[in-house]
mmCIF file of all heavy atoms in Angstrom:
data_model
loop_
_atom_site.group_PDB
_atom_site.id
_atom_site.type_symbol
_atom_site.label_atom_id
_atom_site.label_comp_id
_atom_site.label_asym_id
_atom_site.label_seq_id
_atom_site.Cartn_x
_atom_site.Cartn_y
_atom_site.Cartn_z
ATOM 1 N N LEU A 350 7.868 36.984 -6.857
ATOM 2 C CA LEU A 350 8.263 37.896 -5.777
ATOM 3 C C LEU A 350 8.465 39.312 -6.296
ATOM 4 O O LEU A 350 8.061 40.293 -5.641
ATOM 5 C CB LEU A 350 9.550 37.390 -5.120
ATOM 6 C CG LEU A 350 9.472 36.036 -4.397
ATOM 7 C CD1 LEU A 350 10.834 35.669 -3.825
ATOM 8 C CD2 LEU A 350 8.428 36.063 -3.301
ATOM 9 N N LEU A 351 9.094 39.440 -7.466
ATOM 10 C CA LEU A 351 9.303 40.769 -8.043
ATOM 11 C C LEU A 351 7.980 41.412 -8.439
ATOM 12 O O LEU A 351 7.771 42.619 -8.227
ATOM 13 C CB LEU A 351 10.229 40.675 -9.254
ATOM 14 C CG LEU A 351 11.697 40.343 -8.943
ATOM 15 C CD1 LEU A 351 12.474 40.084 -10.225
ATOM 16 C CD2 LEU A 351 12.342 41.475 -8.144
ATOM 17 N N GLN A 352 7.069 40.620 -9.001
ATOM 18 C CA GLN A 352 5.773 41.185 -9.386
ATOM 19 C C GLN A 352 4.981 41.617 -8.156
ATOM 20 O O GLN A 352 4.297 42.648 -8.173
ATOM 21 C CB GLN A 352 4.976 40.170 -10.189
ATOM 22 C CG GLN A 352 3.646 40.727 -10.709
ATOM 23 C CD GLN A 352 2.947 39.753 -11.629
ATOM 24 O OE1 GLN A 352 3.305 38.597 -11.740
ATOM 25 N NE2 GLN A 352 1.919 40.235 -12.317
ATOM 26 N N GLU A 353 5.093 40.835 -7.075
ATOM 27 C CA GLU A 353 4.389 41.188 -5.841
ATOM 28 C C GLU A 353 4.902 42.504 -5.266
ATOM 29 O O GLU A 353 4.134 43.304 -4.729
ATOM 30 C CB GLU A 353 4.570 40.056 -4.829
ATOM 31 C CG GLU A 353 3.764 40.207 -3.552
ATOM 32 C CD GLU A 353 3.932 39.030 -2.616
ATOM 33 O OE1 GLU A 353 4.428 37.974 -3.054
ATOM 34 O OE2 GLU A 353 3.575 39.162 -1.430
ATOM 35 N N ARG A 354 6.209 42.770 -5.422
ATOM 36 C CA ARG A 354 6.795 43.977 -4.865
ATOM 37 C C ARG A 354 6.706 45.170 -5.824
ATOM 38 O O ARG A 354 6.457 46.295 -5.400
ATOM 39 C CB ARG A 354 8.269 43.721 -4.509
ATOM 40 C CG ARG A 354 8.471 42.830 -3.286
ATOM 41 C CD ARG A 354 9.899 42.295 -3.243
ATOM 42 N NE ARG A 354 10.255 41.687 -1.970
ATOM 43 C CZ ARG A 354 9.893 40.472 -1.585
ATOM 44 N NH1 ARG A 354 9.154 39.722 -2.384
ATOM 45 N NH2 ARG A 354 10.276 40.000 -0.406
ATOM 46 N N LEU A 355 6.932 44.914 -7.119
ATOM 47 C CA LEU A 355 7.016 46.007 -8.097
ATOM 48 C C LEU A 355 5.723 46.218 -8.879
ATOM 49 O O LEU A 355 5.568 47.238 -9.548
ATOM 50 C CB LEU A 355 8.142 45.727 -9.098
ATOM 51 C CG LEU A 355 9.535 45.443 -8.533
ATOM 52 C CD1 LEU A 355 10.503 45.096 -9.660
ATOM 53 C CD2 LEU A 355 10.041 46.634 -7.746
ATOM 54 N N HIS A 356 4.828 45.210 -8.844
ATOM 55 C CA HIS A 356 3.574 45.246 -9.608
ATOM 56 C C HIS A 356 3.831 45.324 -11.114
ATOM 57 O O HIS A 356 3.063 45.934 -11.854
ATOM 58 C CB HIS A 356 2.678 46.409 -9.153
ATOM 59 C CG HIS A 356 2.429 46.423 -7.676
ATOM 60 N ND1 HIS A 356 1.662 45.469 -7.043
ATOM 61 C CD2 HIS A 356 2.883 47.256 -6.696
ATOM 62 C CE1 HIS A 356 1.633 45.714 -5.730
ATOM 63 N NE2 HIS A 356 2.368 46.804 -5.509
ATOM 64 N N THR A 357 4.917 44.701 -11.546
ATOM 65 C CA THR A 357 5.216 44.610 -12.977
ATOM 66 C C THR A 357 6.173 43.452 -13.190
ATOM 67 O O THR A 357 6.941 43.085 -12.294
ATOM 68 C CB THR A 357 5.844 45.902 -13.522
ATOM 69 O OG1 THR A 357 6.059 45.763 -14.938
ATOM 70 C CG2 THR A 357 7.171 46.205 -12.851
ATOM 71 N N GLN A 362 11.263 47.984 -16.679
ATOM 72 C CA GLN A 362 10.801 48.805 -15.569
ATOM 73 C C GLN A 362 11.571 48.535 -14.278
ATOM 74 O O GLN A 362 11.292 49.136 -13.248
ATOM 75 C CB GLN A 362 9.308 48.548 -15.323
ATOM 76 C CG GLN A 362 8.416 48.890 -16.504
ATOM 77 C CD GLN A 362 8.490 50.364 -16.864
ATOM 78 O OE1 GLN A 362 8.441 51.225 -15.988
ATOM 79 N NE2 GLN A 362 8.630 50.653 -18.160
ATOM 80 N N MET A 363 12.520 47.603 -14.340
ATOM 81 C CA MET A 363 13.317 47.270 -13.159
ATOM 82 C C MET A 363 14.636 48.024 -13.236
ATOM 83 O O MET A 363 14.742 49.076 -13.825
ATOM 84 C CB MET A 363 13.525 45.748 -13.073
ATOM 85 C CG MET A 363 12.219 44.959 -13.015
ATOM 86 S SD MET A 363 12.482 43.162 -12.985
ATOM 87 C CE MET A 363 10.783 42.588 -13.176
ATOM 88 N N LEU A 366 17.959 47.023 -8.577
ATOM 89 C CA LEU A 366 17.332 46.340 -7.447
ATOM 90 C C LEU A 366 18.355 45.850 -6.432
ATOM 91 O O LEU A 366 18.023 45.639 -5.272
ATOM 92 C CB LEU A 366 16.486 45.163 -7.953
ATOM 93 C CG LEU A 366 15.260 45.528 -8.802
ATOM 94 C CD1 LEU A 366 14.542 44.270 -9.261
ATOM 95 C CD2 LEU A 366 14.304 46.410 -8.004
ATOM 96 N N MET A 370 17.454 45.420 -2.648
ATOM 97 C CA MET A 370 17.155 44.024 -2.317
ATOM 98 C C MET A 370 18.371 43.157 -2.667
ATOM 99 O O MET A 370 18.328 42.372 -3.622
ATOM 100 C CB MET A 370 15.922 43.541 -3.090
ATOM 101 C CG MET A 370 14.628 44.222 -2.683
ATOM 102 S SD MET A 370 13.176 43.464 -3.482
ATOM 103 C CE MET A 370 13.493 43.876 -5.203
ATOM 104 N N TRP A 441 13.695 52.728 -5.551
ATOM 105 C CA TRP A 441 12.932 51.663 -4.890
ATOM 106 C C TRP A 441 13.236 51.643 -3.390
ATOM 107 O O TRP A 441 14.376 51.746 -2.967
ATOM 108 C CB TRP A 441 13.292 50.303 -5.466
ATOM 109 C CG TRP A 441 13.115 50.122 -6.949
ATOM 110 C CD1 TRP A 441 14.095 49.910 -7.869
ATOM 111 C CD2 TRP A 441 11.882 50.100 -7.667
ATOM 112 N NE1 TRP A 441 13.559 49.762 -9.113
ATOM 113 C CE2 TRP A 441 12.200 49.868 -9.033
ATOM 114 C CE3 TRP A 441 10.541 50.257 -7.308
ATOM 115 C CZ2 TRP A 441 11.236 49.779 -10.018
ATOM 116 C CZ3 TRP A 441 9.581 50.167 -8.288
ATOM 117 C CH2 TRP A 441 9.915 49.934 -9.627
ATOM 118 N N LEU A 443 12.113 48.755 -1.089
ATOM 119 C CA LEU A 443 11.348 47.519 -1.108
ATOM 120 C C LEU A 443 11.915 46.529 -0.099
ATOM 121 O O LEU A 443 13.114 46.525 0.177
ATOM 122 C CB LEU A 443 11.394 46.894 -2.514
ATOM 123 C CG LEU A 443 10.877 47.782 -3.649
ATOM 124 C CD1 LEU A 443 11.245 47.189 -4.992
ATOM 125 C CD2 LEU A 443 9.366 47.956 -3.539
#
Side-chain angles (χ1 to χ4, degrees):
L350 296 179
L351 290 172
Q352 184 174 12
E353 187 177 345
R354 288 163 167 78
L355 306 176
H356 307 291
T357 182
Q362 299 298 315
M363 302 178 188
L366 294 179
M370 293 187 294
W441 303 114
L443 302 168

